[in-house]
mmCIF file of all heavy atoms in Angstrom:
data_model
loop_
_atom_site.group_PDB
_atom_site.id
_atom_site.type_symbol
_atom_site.label_atom_id
_atom_site.label_comp_id
_atom_site.label_asym_id
_atom_site.label_seq_id
_atom_site.Cartn_x
_atom_site.Cartn_y
_atom_site.Cartn_z
ATOM 1 N N TYR A 50 2.840 17.853 3.470
ATOM 2 C CA TYR A 50 2.844 19.213 4.018
ATOM 3 C C TYR A 50 4.059 20.009 3.556
ATOM 4 O O TYR A 50 5.179 19.485 3.501
ATOM 5 C CB TYR A 50 2.825 19.170 5.548
ATOM 6 C CG TYR A 50 1.486 18.758 6.114
ATOM 7 C CD1 TYR A 50 1.394 17.803 7.111
ATOM 8 C CD2 TYR A 50 0.303 19.320 5.637
ATOM 9 C CE1 TYR A 50 0.167 17.414 7.634
ATOM 10 C CE2 TYR A 50 -0.925 18.939 6.147
ATOM 11 C CZ TYR A 50 -0.991 17.996 7.144
ATOM 12 O OH TYR A 50 -2.201 17.613 7.648
ATOM 13 N N GLY A 51 3.806 21.297 3.279
ATOM 14 C CA GLY A 51 4.855 22.165 2.767
ATOM 15 C C GLY A 51 5.943 22.504 3.770
ATOM 16 O O GLY A 51 6.966 23.083 3.399
ATOM 17 N N ASP A 73 -4.190 17.700 -1.093
ATOM 18 C CA ASP A 73 -5.596 17.310 -1.249
ATOM 19 C C ASP A 73 -5.743 16.067 -2.126
ATOM 20 O O ASP A 73 -6.606 15.232 -1.896
ATOM 21 C CB ASP A 73 -6.438 18.473 -1.778
ATOM 22 C CG ASP A 73 -5.918 19.050 -3.079
ATOM 23 O OD1 ASP A 73 -4.695 19.007 -3.307
ATOM 24 O OD2 ASP A 73 -6.733 19.561 -3.870
ATOM 25 N N ARG A 77 -7.486 12.561 -1.227
ATOM 26 C CA ARG A 77 -8.538 11.934 -2.028
ATOM 27 C C ARG A 77 -8.140 10.552 -2.506
ATOM 28 O O ARG A 77 -8.981 9.718 -2.817
ATOM 29 C CB ARG A 77 -8.959 12.852 -3.178
ATOM 30 C CG ARG A 77 -10.052 13.821 -2.714
ATOM 31 C CD ARG A 77 -10.467 14.800 -3.773
ATOM 32 N NE ARG A 77 -9.849 16.100 -3.516
ATOM 33 C CZ ARG A 77 -9.194 16.811 -4.414
ATOM 34 N NH1 ARG A 77 -9.065 16.371 -5.644
ATOM 35 N NH2 ARG A 77 -8.668 17.966 -4.074
ATOM 36 N N MET A 82 -4.685 11.811 8.075
ATOM 37 C CA MET A 82 -3.665 11.999 9.105
ATOM 38 C C MET A 82 -4.239 12.604 10.377
ATOM 39 O O MET A 82 -5.076 13.484 10.350
ATOM 40 C CB MET A 82 -2.553 12.917 8.563
ATOM 41 C CG MET A 82 -1.532 13.321 9.599
ATOM 42 S SD MET A 82 0.060 13.611 8.812
ATOM 43 C CE MET A 82 1.002 14.303 10.148
ATOM 44 N N ASN A 89 -4.441 25.993 14.760
ATOM 45 C CA ASN A 89 -5.722 26.655 15.035
ATOM 46 C C ASN A 89 -6.258 27.230 13.732
ATOM 47 O O ASN A 89 -5.486 27.753 12.935
ATOM 48 C CB ASN A 89 -5.524 27.828 15.995
ATOM 49 C CG ASN A 89 -5.192 27.364 17.397
ATOM 50 O OD1 ASN A 89 -5.177 26.163 17.685
ATOM 51 N ND2 ASN A 89 -4.922 28.308 18.267
ATOM 52 N N GLY A 92 -12.193 31.175 13.399
ATOM 53 C CA GLY A 92 -13.396 31.537 12.647
ATOM 54 C C GLY A 92 -14.068 30.364 11.955
ATOM 55 O O GLY A 92 -15.207 30.466 11.541
ATOM 56 N N VAL A 93 -13.349 29.242 11.800
ATOM 57 C CA VAL A 93 -13.947 28.080 11.138
ATOM 58 C C VAL A 93 -14.401 27.092 12.203
ATOM 59 O O VAL A 93 -13.622 26.673 13.050
ATOM 60 C CB VAL A 93 -12.955 27.396 10.173
ATOM 61 C CG1 VAL A 93 -13.615 26.201 9.491
ATOM 62 C CG2 VAL A 93 -12.450 28.382 9.138
ATOM 63 N N ASP A 97 -18.365 22.524 10.811
ATOM 64 C CA ASP A 97 -18.348 22.817 9.375
ATOM 65 C C ASP A 97 -17.243 22.056 8.664
ATOM 66 O O ASP A 97 -17.423 21.585 7.540
ATOM 67 C CB ASP A 97 -18.178 24.324 9.145
ATOM 68 C CG ASP A 97 -19.427 25.098 9.539
ATOM 69 O OD1 ASP A 97 -20.504 24.476 9.638
ATOM 70 O OD2 ASP A 97 -19.325 26.320 9.768
ATOM 71 N N THR A 102 -15.513 17.705 5.242
ATOM 72 C CA THR A 102 -14.661 16.521 5.107
ATOM 73 C C THR A 102 -15.476 15.336 4.593
ATOM 74 O O THR A 102 -14.992 14.542 3.785
ATOM 75 C CB THR A 102 -14.045 16.173 6.481
ATOM 76 O OG1 THR A 102 -13.221 17.264 6.882
ATOM 77 C CG2 THR A 102 -13.211 14.910 6.413
ATOM 78 N N ASN A 127 -9.682 23.743 16.938
ATOM 79 C CA ASN A 127 -8.489 23.631 17.779
ATOM 80 C C ASN A 127 -8.210 24.823 18.696
ATOM 81 O O ASN A 127 -7.313 24.755 19.532
ATOM 82 C CB ASN A 127 -7.218 23.360 16.943
ATOM 83 C CG ASN A 127 -7.330 22.078 16.141
ATOM 84 O OD1 ASN A 127 -7.986 21.133 16.577
ATOM 85 N ND2 ASN A 127 -6.721 22.035 14.974
ATOM 86 N N GLU A 139 -9.533 15.267 16.127
ATOM 87 C CA GLU A 139 -8.848 14.711 14.960
ATOM 88 C C GLU A 139 -9.462 13.372 14.556
ATOM 89 O O GLU A 139 -9.651 13.084 13.381
ATOM 90 C CB GLU A 139 -7.351 14.514 15.266
ATOM 91 C CG GLU A 139 -6.560 15.793 15.398
ATOM 92 C CD GLU A 139 -6.286 16.449 14.055
ATOM 93 O OE1 GLU A 139 -5.463 15.933 13.287
ATOM 94 O OE2 GLU A 139 -6.933 17.463 13.764
ATOM 95 N N GLN A 142 -12.767 13.833 12.843
ATOM 96 C CA GLN A 142 -12.563 14.268 11.457
ATOM 97 C C GLN A 142 -12.145 13.096 10.562
ATOM 98 O O GLN A 142 -12.651 12.923 9.460
ATOM 99 C CB GLN A 142 -11.482 15.354 11.389
ATOM 100 C CG GLN A 142 -11.875 16.656 12.059
ATOM 101 C CD GLN A 142 -10.711 17.634 12.118
ATOM 102 O OE1 GLN A 142 -9.985 17.792 11.152
ATOM 103 N NE2 GLN A 142 -10.521 18.279 13.248
ATOM 104 N N GLN A 146 -13.799 11.304 7.281
ATOM 105 C CA GLN A 146 -13.019 11.281 6.041
ATOM 106 C C GLN A 146 -12.978 9.901 5.389
ATOM 107 O O GLN A 146 -12.855 9.784 4.183
ATOM 108 C CB GLN A 146 -11.594 11.767 6.356
ATOM 109 C CG GLN A 146 -10.737 12.070 5.146
ATOM 110 C CD GLN A 146 -9.385 12.650 5.557
ATOM 111 O OE1 GLN A 146 -9.159 12.975 6.729
ATOM 112 N NE2 GLN A 146 -8.487 12.778 4.600
ATOM 113 N N ASP B 353 0.037 26.378 6.764
ATOM 114 C CA ASP B 353 -0.273 25.140 7.494
ATOM 115 C C ASP B 353 -1.773 24.978 7.707
ATOM 116 O O ASP B 353 -2.277 23.857 7.708
ATOM 117 C CB ASP B 353 0.504 25.055 8.816
ATOM 118 C CG ASP B 353 0.168 26.170 9.788
ATOM 119 O OD1 ASP B 353 -0.305 27.230 9.340
ATOM 120 O OD2 ASP B 353 0.378 25.980 10.996
ATOM 121 N N GLN B 354 -2.492 26.090 7.806
ATOM 122 C CA GLN B 354 -3.947 25.981 7.957
ATOM 123 C C GLN B 354 -4.596 25.496 6.663
ATOM 124 O O GLN B 354 -5.498 24.661 6.679
ATOM 125 C CB GLN B 354 -4.549 27.328 8.348
ATOM 126 C CG GLN B 354 -4.102 27.811 9.710
ATOM 127 C CD GLN B 354 -4.744 29.138 10.084
ATOM 128 O OE1 GLN B 354 -5.782 29.524 9.563
ATOM 129 N NE2 GLN B 354 -4.110 29.855 10.992
ATOM 130 N N GLU B 356 -3.192 23.701 4.322
ATOM 131 C CA GLU B 356 -2.847 22.288 4.095
ATOM 132 C C GLU B 356 -3.570 21.359 5.065
ATOM 133 O O GLU B 356 -3.899 20.226 4.723
ATOM 134 C CB GLU B 356 -1.330 22.102 4.200
ATOM 135 C CG GLU B 356 -0.609 22.718 3.010
ATOM 136 C CD GLU B 356 0.893 22.503 3.062
ATOM 137 O OE1 GLU B 356 1.407 22.147 4.142
ATOM 138 O OE2 GLU B 356 1.539 22.693 2.016
ATOM 139 N N TYR B 357 -3.810 21.856 6.259
ATOM 140 C CA TYR B 357 -4.553 21.055 7.233
ATOM 141 C C TYR B 357 -5.943 20.719 6.680
ATOM 142 O O TYR B 357 -6.379 19.571 6.686
ATOM 143 C CB TYR B 357 -4.658 21.851 8.528
ATOM 144 C CG TYR B 357 -5.416 21.205 9.665
ATOM 145 C CD1 TYR B 357 -5.127 19.924 10.097
ATOM 146 C CD2 TYR B 357 -6.414 21.917 10.335
ATOM 147 C CE1 TYR B 357 -5.815 19.364 11.175
ATOM 148 C CE2 TYR B 357 -7.097 21.369 11.405
ATOM 149 C CZ TYR B 357 -6.796 20.089 11.822
ATOM 150 O OH TYR B 357 -7.472 19.544 12.880
ATOM 151 N N MET B 359 -6.774 20.865 3.513
ATOM 152 C CA MET B 359 -6.581 20.052 2.306
ATOM 153 C C MET B 359 -6.357 18.586 2.653
ATOM 154 O O MET B 359 -6.750 17.690 1.909
ATOM 155 C CB MET B 359 -5.388 20.578 1.494
ATOM 156 C CG MET B 359 -5.674 21.877 0.764
ATOM 157 S SD MET B 359 -4.174 22.601 0.067
ATOM 158 C CE MET B 359 -3.892 21.524 -1.348
ATOM 159 N N SER B 360 -5.730 18.327 3.797
ATOM 160 C CA SER B 360 -5.470 16.935 4.175
ATOM 161 C C SER B 360 -6.772 16.223 4.545
ATOM 162 O O SER B 360 -6.796 15.010 4.710
ATOM 163 C CB SER B 360 -4.474 16.857 5.335
ATOM 164 O OG SER B 360 -5.111 17.180 6.559
ATOM 165 N N ARG B 361 -7.868 16.988 4.639
ATOM 166 C CA ARG B 361 -9.191 16.369 4.823
ATOM 167 C C ARG B 361 -9.895 16.188 3.487
ATOM 168 O O ARG B 361 -11.084 15.910 3.427
ATOM 169 C CB ARG B 361 -10.047 17.233 5.750
ATOM 170 C CG ARG B 361 -9.488 17.387 7.141
ATOM 171 C CD ARG B 361 -9.585 16.096 7.958
ATOM 172 N NE ARG B 361 -8.967 16.229 9.250
ATOM 173 C CZ ARG B 361 -7.960 15.460 9.679
ATOM 174 N NH1 ARG B 361 -7.465 14.504 8.909
ATOM 175 N NH2 ARG B 361 -7.447 15.625 10.872
ATOM 176 N N GLY B 362 -9.171 16.465 2.401
ATOM 177 C CA GLY B 362 -9.731 16.243 1.073
ATOM 178 C C GLY B 362 -10.316 17.478 0.422
ATOM 179 O O GLY B 362 -10.817 17.418 -0.690
ATOM 180 N N LEU B 363 -10.259 18.641 1.097
ATOM 181 C CA LEU B 363 -10.766 19.869 0.478
ATOM 182 C C LEU B 363 -9.754 20.372 -0.543
ATOM 183 O O LEU B 363 -8.546 20.300 -0.310
ATOM 184 C CB LEU B 363 -10.966 20.962 1.536
ATOM 185 C CG LEU B 363 -12.268 20.959 2.335
ATOM 186 C CD1 LEU B 363 -12.316 19.770 3.276
ATOM 187 C CD2 LEU B 363 -12.394 22.256 3.136
ATOM 188 N N SER B 364 -10.252 20.886 -1.672
ATOM 189 C CA SER B 364 -9.346 21.472 -2.655
ATOM 190 C C SER B 364 -8.726 22.731 -2.054
ATOM 191 O O SER B 364 -9.249 23.271 -1.077
ATOM 192 C CB SER B 364 -10.114 21.834 -3.923
ATOM 193 O OG SER B 364 -10.990 22.906 -3.638
ATOM 194 N N MET B 371 -12.870 28.608 2.914
ATOM 195 C CA MET B 371 -13.354 28.302 4.254
ATOM 196 C C MET B 371 -12.634 29.168 5.303
ATOM 197 O O MET B 371 -13.250 29.701 6.221
ATOM 198 C CB MET B 371 -13.122 26.822 4.533
ATOM 199 C CG MET B 371 -13.921 26.276 5.677
ATOM 200 S SD MET B 371 -13.867 24.465 5.636
ATOM 201 C CE MET B 371 -15.281 24.113 6.653
ATOM 202 N N GLY B 375 -14.201 32.164 7.529
ATOM 203 C CA GLY B 375 -14.008 32.184 8.973
ATOM 204 C C GLY B 375 -13.457 33.512 9.436
ATOM 205 O O GLY B 375 -13.883 34.071 10.445
ATOM 206 N N GLY B 379 -16.826 34.378 10.677
ATOM 207 C CA GLY B 379 -16.786 33.589 11.904
ATOM 208 C C GLY B 379 -16.166 34.320 13.074
ATOM 209 O O GLY B 379 -16.463 34.029 14.226
#
Side-chain angles (χ1 to χ4, degrees):
Chain A
Y50 287 133
D73 56 330
R77 273 177 258 130
M82 173 151 172
N89 289 356
V93 181
D97 289 341
T102 297
N127 301 328
E139 290 285 288
Q142 293 173 43
Q146 192 175 351
Chain B
D353 62 337
Q354 295 181 22
E356 289 182 344
Y357 179 52
M359 286 170 75
S360 77
R361 298 289 176 239
L363 276 69
S364 68
M371 197 166 199

